[in-house]
Amino acid sequence: MVQDSTIEEINVVMQEAWQAFHQYRQQSLSQRSIFIRTIALELEALGDELLRVASAETNLPEARLRNERNRTIFQLSSYADACEQGSWLEARIDTAIPDRNPPRVDIRKMMIPLGPVVVFGASNFPFAYSTAGGDTASAFAAGCTVVVKAHPAHAQTSDLVAGAIFKAADICKMPKGIFAHVHGTGHEVGRALVTHPYTKAVGFTGSYTGGKALFEWGNQRKEPIPVFAEMGSVNPVFLLPEKLQQSAEDLARMVVGSVTLGVGQFCTNPGLIIAMEGEPLQRFLQILALEVKNVNPGTMLHPGIAKGYTEKRASALSQRDVDTIAVSSAGASPNQGVPTIASASAQAFLNNPVLHEEVFGPYSIVIRCKDIKEMIEVARHTEGQLTCSVMATDNDLLANADLVEALKNICGRFIVNNVPTGVEVCLSMHHGGPYPATTDSRFTSVGADAIKRFARPICLQNWSDILLPDELKNENPFGIWRTVNNELTKDAIK
Ligand code: NAP
């Protein structure tokens, strides 16, 4: 049984995080990288016991958790590599031109860490977006200290992972306070963390309500801070006419696989499918219905999520002009999510904001449009999304440039002929999107660019070489990529 932290304990934790920050930020990129890699090793060393505890707490199968842990280890080591490689520092140097009229002084810029970062663990990724997940790894890479609020639905898993981070900190002789782990089942702990004067940024993945509350607290502070919240998304999938005509059956199978994957508990779950009425859509719906009926309900992450799914699904299905196309034919036990597909006309969707909301679980609604103009109208009236997908031939895309432009405007990742579930951890990934998908569409929470969320630029003007940070010294001792007088180079400055 875990104990909630008291406000006094939060105060101590934040003070230690603040003190440790001033030591940790001085450590070299390679010292930070070694620490992050050691966390990965310690996470692995927790062995199958971690998987058993996590599976018991989250109802996720051990095989899925094994994959997720591997992904988390990869994430830690790839962010460690990126940290050391240093491109995220965005080092820029414009050397002095004394004989220019007017003369130019020496100006250099790089990213520096923000300060202690508070991370809220996500229920649907107990490893990859929780205690030693992407937010924690990117904050450490940036040179920030980290305080994690464990997700109450997997508190013991979080304790075990926190133990691995403490051990890594010990091995690497990191300052006390570099990492802290707190519990809180009410909102008081979260509020105390976000509003604490020593907190300088927040990372969150979860509900719109939770993310928005944290964002508002962050902004209402005497000193406002960035709150990077990844919240809801319905990830629309547009089926364009030529592709639908050619591949209706294959598309239906692909979509059902994505909607029901992991009991639909992914932020990239496709909750909205848009197509033009006609015979190809009928074929698509027929296979969609057959396939969904064959998918068994699955136990959801925690009773709160199951309750949320049951209520939101019931609300969506009870809306005027919404038809239920298919429901899993297997009986459901308590806390299980029942795979469900609904359908409505474009006009019904455009007139009813309830149909735009995320139903977190194995649910999707097919929107039937009369023509391409209505599809564009739907795109233009859809809120900010993590992803948009189009199933399309090249002809479809060339013929529908307006739809393509409308979709670019609302999403962070634009996918062609693929489903949105499955988020690769790589530098070119963008996992973010316009509000309300996230609170800041300029940043990603997946891929090493996530480090930039927890750093800010500082410009150093007219400093002598000996006093500059190593990353900006003429000699370039770490051999990092820098933009020197507008050219990207690793060369030293002569
Ligand atoms: P959640 O309710 O947003 O909770 C996530 C974390 O934020 C928890 O630590 C929670 O603490 C805290 N929190 C939530 N609301 C708060 C508030 N108003 N003030 C302070 N702290 C707050 O997410 P969840 O429990 O994982 O799932 C609930 C729903 O979130 C799901 O049904 C789904 O709709 C959505 N969800 C979306 C995504 C996504 O990626 N889009 C992922 C997961 C969940 P407490 O538990 O103590 O409140």
Side-chain angles (χ1 to χ4, degrees):
M1 183 70 184
V2 296
Q3 193 98 41
D4 281 6
S5 300
T6 62
I7 302 302
E8 291 70 34
E9 283 164 350
I10 300 290
N11 255 325
V12 173
V13 156
M14 290 314 309
Q15 268 167 23
E16 287 179 353
W18 179 244
Q19 276 159 12
F21 169 63
H22 296 291
Q23 297 167 50
Y24 183 56
R25 64 178 301 189
Q26 305 294 344
Q27 303 220 349
S28 68
L29 297 179
S30 93
Q31 283 171 307
R32 291 182 209 168
S33 307
I34 290 168
F35 172 47
I36 298 166
R37 286 194 194 101
T38 310
I39 297 173
L41 290 174
E42 290 305 318
L43 185 60
E44 192 156 32
L46 291 173
D48 287 356
E49 173 62 8
L50 176 67
L51 306 182
R52 278 192 288 276
V53 171
S55 184
E57 283 193 312
T58 62
N59 302 309
L60 293 171
E62 282 192 28
R64 140 82 201 263
L65 287 166
R66 193 176 297 279
N67 280 341
E68 191 184 321
R69 181 170 59 181
N70 288 344
R71 174 199 163 120
T72 310
I73 287 167
F74 172 74
Q75 201 163 249
L76 284 158
S77 45
S78 69
Y79 291 11
D81 291 348
C83 169
E84 200 163 18
Q85 194 246 356
S87 294
W88 66 274
L89 292 167
E90 297 181 347
R92 316 264 189 256
I93 297 173
D94 289 293
T95 51
I97 313 178
D99 52 0
R100 194 190 69 174
N101 187 11
R104 184 172 86 184
V105 291
D106 186 284
I107 302 179
R108 304 185 182 210
K109 181 166 77 168
M110 65 179 277
M111 302 293 261
I112 57 170
L114 289 182
V117 173
V118 168
V119 172
F120 287 76
S123 62
N124 59 340
F125 280 101
F127 303 143
Y129 277 84
S130 288
T131 321
D135 290 346
T136 300
S138 39
F140 280 148
C144 298
T145 53
V146 173
V147 177
V148 167
K149 178 187 175 286
H151 195 288
H154 57 252
Q156 285 171 38
T157 304
S158 200
D159 272 344
L160 283 174
V161 176
I165 301 178
F166 286 125
K167 200 159 167 207
D170 234 31
I171 293 168
C172 299
K173 301 195 172 21
M174 286 294 157
K176 177 175 157 39
I178 185 168
F179 174 73
H181 184 240
V182 302
H183 293 281
T185 41
H187 295 161
E188 273 319 292
V189 167
R191 188 188 178 102
L193 288 167
V194 176
T195 56
H196 199 285
Y198 287 148
T199 300
K200 299 300 173 196
V202 175
F204 167 93
T205 302
S207 64
Y208 173 78
T209 318
K212 189 72 192 320
L214 268 45
F215 181 70
E216 277 164 11
W217 290 336
N219 279 282
Q220 284 158 5
R221 292 164 41 122
K222 191 167 166 213
E223 178 204 356
I225 52 167
V227 174
F228 298 103
E230 194 237 285
M231 307 176 288
S233 192
V234 290
N235 305 295
V237 178
F238 285 75
L239 312 177
L240 296 195
E242 190 172 88
K243 185 71 179 180
L244 187 60
Q245 167 67 35
Q246 288 172 3
S247 323
E249 293 79 2
D250 288 346
L251 291 175
R253 290 189 188 96
M254 202 199 287
V255 166
V256 170
S258 182
V259 171
T260 59
L261 187 72
V263 204
Q265 299 167 115
F266 290 110
C267 46
T268 50
N269 188 57
L272 193 61
I273 299 155
I274 304 99
M276 257 149 61
E277 280 170 349
E279 183 274 334
L281 180 59
Q282 287 314 313
R283 275 191 284 133
F284 173 85
L285 289 174
Q286 206 178 9
I287 300 295
L288 199 69
L290 277 174
E291 295 281 326
V292 163
K293 283 180 189 155
N294 288 334
V295 183
N296 290 335
T299 306
M300 301 193 81
L301 289 158
H302 63 79
I305 289 213
K307 183 166 175 279
Y309 177 62
T310 307
E311 288 173 3
K312 287 211 134 195
R313 170 182 174 273
S315 163
L317 295 179
S318 70
Q319 299 298 307
R320 213 173 138 198
D321 300 326
V322 171
D323 302 318
T324 305
I325 296 286
V327 175
S328 164
S329 42
S333 310
N335 296 329
Q336 289 200 322
V338 181
T340 304
I341 302 286
S343 173
S345 68
Q347 286 311 312
F349 175 81
L350 292 168
N351 292 327
N352 188 350
V354 174
L355 301 184
H356 299 217
E357 288 174 13
E358 182 184 43
V359 179
F360 193 72
Y363 169 90
S364 193
I365 184 164
V366 179
I367 304 302
R368 305 178 312 269
C369 300
K370 285 203 291 285
D371 49 29
I372 198 74
K373 266 177 143 170
E374 257 193 357
M375 283 179 97
I376 296 173
E377 187 94 338
V378 168
R380 289 190 178 144
H381 287 84
T382 299
E383 295 75 7
Q385 303 290 331
L386 293 171
T387 74
C388 282
S389 305
V390 288
M391 302 296 180
T393 62
D394 286 353
N395 285 336
D396 281 326
L397 291 173
L398 288 169
N400 293 294
D402 285 353
L403 177 64
V404 169
E405 285 311 305
L407 294 179
K408 277 188 195 161
N409 204 36
I410 60 165
C411 72
R413 180 162 56 110
F414 193 157
I415 302 157
V416 177
N417 292 330
N418 223 319
V419 285
T421 40
V423 183
E424 189 70 35
V425 180
C426 59
L427 200 52
S428 48
M429 177 50 65
H430 187 80
H431 191 65
Y435 184 87
T438 74
T439 46
D440 195 335
S441 63
R442 293 168 299 173
F443 294 93
T444 179
S445 57
V446 176
D449 275 345
I451 300 171
K452 293 181 192 170
R453 291 172 302 166
F454 303 121
R456 68 173 175 87
I458 187 164
C459 173
L460 303 176
Q461 184 168 330
N462 207 24
W463 282 44
S464 59
D465 195 59
I466 194 163
L467 294 177
L468 282 165
D470 287 343
E471 292 83 353
L472 293 179
K473 281 191 183 5
N474 285 343
E475 195 195 336
N476 193 14
F478 299 148
I480 62 171
W481 285 106
R482 312 187 297 183
T483 304
V484 178
N485 296 325
N486 297 322
E487 278 188 20
L488 193 62
T489 174
K490 284 187 175 184
D491 292 349
I493 298 167
K494 300 274 185 309

